[in-house]
Amino acid sequence: MDVRRRPPRPPVPTNAAFSGNHHHLHHRKKSPTPKASDALPLPLYLTNAIFFTLFFSVAYFLLHRWRDKIRSHTPLHVVTLSELGAIVSLIASFIYLLGFFGIGFVQSFIARTSIHDSWDLDDDAVPVDAACIPLPKIMDPPPPPQLISSEEDEEIVKSVVHGTVPSYALESQLGDCHRAALIRREAVQRLAGRSLVGLPLEGFDYESILGQCCEMPVGYVQIPVGIAGPLLMNGCEYSVPMATTEGCLVASTNRGCKAIYASGGATSILLRDGMTRAPVVRFPTAKRASDLKFFLENPLNFDTLSVFFNKSSRFARLQGIQCSMAGRNLYMRFSCSTGDAMGMNMVSKGVQNVLDYLQTDFPDMDVIGISGNFCSDKKPAAVNWIEGRGKSVVCEAIISEEVVRKVLKTTVPALVELNMLKNLAGSAVAGALGGFNAHAANIVSAVFIATGQDPAQNIESSHCITMMEAVNDGNDLHVSVTMPAIEVGTVGGGTQLASQSACLNLLGVKGASKESPGSNARLLATIVAGSVLAGELSLMSAIAAGQLVKSHMKYNRSSRDISNLAS
């Protein structure tokens, strides 16, 4: 609407550089876009004069009327029809003048302080210095910024793009993991035609993941880490690191820790410690498969099998072998202790040693796979729910009635009833497998990521049954979580990365225990169970008190627009 502030358009260039755009420019000249001011019934200067006159005249009229009312002691809020019309006219003219001249003042101030050129206020506006160049309505995204500075690196990038140099071989050929990640990142951007801006590259030790954690890196993902606690368990306090992007999770777990602490703490017991691997083998007949089954389950052969299994590691110790048949196929579920390591590689090497030994006495045995899913790894399975895998832990606490009422904002009967109908009956109706809980996977995943565990093993590690009962004549709450398959370690994998190592150090379980091998991993498993207990207690209380939606609206929603922060 403000014609006076529209910058003049430069003349159309006639040189050869713009000859390709001449037809498009000519078309724009023939069909100008309508302006807001074209719809005005009066010229702009006359419209402004009318509103100026209206504003000052009605202001003068109202001031005189109010002076007369004051002299005659008439209440000011008693208005006549003419005064009401004058007030409406005053407001309307004020809004018009403020919108017209106020916006102009602000825009002129911005124009003086901005480093950019002025922009047209119309929908089809373009920068002053680009007004002669027609722009498409939907502009193509800008090319990704190039981080390659040397000609040698540029040649390598081109070689990766053309396929003459494999991307996975950059680390070995260059001998510099950071440089390899930089070159690979640039090649990926060129091949995909999309930018990786926002994915951090600097500030990470790429040497530490070479051959161990991640192949062909191009950066790393940032996940915030919050602290819940202190968690008072077995007489010790733990500050639990949780890596998550879900709002309200850390706050909720922290509230559960507060309730446990105020009630005297929780008790956590390790029931079992054994990682499993189950190869599948095939025989010509089911009779031959059963012969091996009986051989493996014979206690007289266990010591011999242990010798071959245990030589894979000084920490690996065979605990037992459980067999199951499907026709002429035999599944052998080996279980062993693995020290402070989670132990998948350790148990796999031990199983391979036993298979090599058995091949001598059972030459007709055909090894189909080192893993036949009877383990069962990274999948929900009844065998893990019943037999356990990794660390089997139970954690309990008695929450006093006062704490339930003041901290958790609910009652003991309400929690007991909700747990029965939701975690037990509701999960049974859903046909849940190991999911008789409110949200154990939430806490397990957050602690796993923070401490460098395998996030995929959250599946079986989150098997959990939550129990709540009224005790002490119905006044207090007994709450427990039973988790038969927590798969954690404090050495190997992602535990050696700087951030994850720091979180393990915060819990006092960093690295391998020299005094008692395996104790750090077992302690970490009990901390996971204690954290799940706190999370279950808090979420169930929020649901019982009808606070779930309100708390998520407070902690899991943001009014801040962060879409442009990456750039």
Side-chain angles (χ1 to χ4, degrees), residues 270 272-273 339 341 389-393 483-486 488 521-522 525:
L270 186 82
R272 182 180 178 275
D273 181 10
R389 188 170 194 256
K391 278 72 174 170
S392 299
V393 183
M483 307 179 69
I486 301 178
V488 294
R522 290 191 289 269

Side-chain angles (χ1 to χ4, degrees), residues 459-491:
I459 296 175
E460 58 266 39
S461 296
S462 296
H463 282 347
C464 172
I465 182 168
T466 300
M467 302 292 293
M468 292 185 181
E469 303 173 66
V471 295
N472 301 331
D473 297 328
N475 295 324
D476 301 329
L477 176 73
H478 180 277
V479 56
S480 67
V481 293
T482 305
M483 307 179 69
I486 301 178
E487 299 165 355
V488 294
T490 58
V491 296

Side-chain angles (χ1 to χ4, degrees), residues 262-289:
S263 298
T267 302
S268 190
I269 305 98
L270 186 82
L271 304 176
R272 182 180 178 275
D273 181 10
M275 182 50 66
T276 63
R277 174 60 83 197
V280 54
V281 298
R282 177 182 294 165
F283 285 88
T285 63
K287 173 64 173 60
R288 286 294 290 160

Side-chain angles (χ1 to χ4, degrees), residues 310-558:
N310 295 346
K311 71 178 183 179
S312 64
S313 169
R314 61 192 178 100
F315 298 108
R317 294 296 179 267
L318 183 63
Q319 297 173 338
I321 306 174
Q322 181 183 4
C323 297
S324 183
M325 286 182 58
R328 61 193 182 109
N329 304 301
L330 179 65
Y331 298 82
M332 303 168 284
R333 192 172 189 260
F334 291 77
S335 177
C336 79
S337 60
T338 58
D340 283 306
M342 184 269 290
M344 285 300 304
N345 293 333
M346 191 184 300
V347 67
S348 296
K349 289 188 291 184
V351 168
Q352 187 62 56
N353 292 339
V354 173
L355 292 176
D356 294 341
Y357 163 72
L358 294 174
Q359 200 80 58
T360 303
D361 294 334
F362 296 88
D364 54 344
M365 178 182 70
D366 183 15
V367 179
I368 303 301
I370 190 68
S371 175
N373 272 7
F374 187 41
C375 314
S376 173
D377 186 42
K378 298 180 176 71
K379 292 165 285 291
V383 67
N384 292 337
W385 178 243
I386 298 171
E387 299 293 336
R389 188 170 194 256
K391 278 72 174 170
S392 299
V393 183
V394 59
C395 187
E396 64 177 350
I398 296 179
I399 311 300
S400 68
E401 179 187 19
E402 182 182 11
V403 172
V404 171
R405 179 168 44 85
K406 292 185 177 180
V407 178
L408 301 177
K409 311 300 182 183
T410 184
T411 64
V412 173
L415 281 173
V416 173
E417 182 182 32
L418 176 64
N419 186 73
M420 180 185 67
L421 294 179
K422 171 182 168 63
N423 289 341
L424 304 183
S427 296
V429 170
L433 178 59
F436 296 88
N437 57 81
H439 71 149
N442 243 341
I443 292 88
V444 172
S445 296
V447 178
F448 269 32
I449 295 173
T451 58
Q453 311 304 312
D454 188 340
Q457 289 183 324
N458 162 72
I459 296 175
E460 58 266 39
S461 296
S462 296
H463 282 347
C464 172
I465 182 168
T466 300
M467 302 292 293
M468 292 185 181
E469 303 173 66
V471 295
N472 301 331
D473 297 328
N475 295 324
D476 301 329
L477 176 73
H478 180 277
V479 56
S480 67
V481 293
T482 305
M483 307 179 69
I486 301 178
E487 299 165 355
V488 294
T490 58
V491 296
T495 63
Q496 49 84 38
L497 298 177
S499 301
Q500 289 81 345
S501 180
C503 292
L504 289 171
N505 186 61
L506 177 66
L507 293 171
V509 295
K510 177 182 177 181
S513 173
K514 297 180 180 179
E515 295 78 13
S516 178
S519 61
N520 280 351
R522 290 191 289 269
L523 177 55
L524 178 59
T526 61
I527 293 173
V528 171
S531 303
V532 170
L533 180 69
E536 290 287 282
L537 187 60
S538 182
L539 177 60
M540 292 293 288
S541 299
I543 296 175
Q547 297 174 342
L548 179 64
V549 174
K550 181 180 178 181
S551 60
H552 273 78
M553 290 301 101
K554 179 179 179 181
Y555 292 101
N556 202 24
R557 292 293 182 269
S558 175

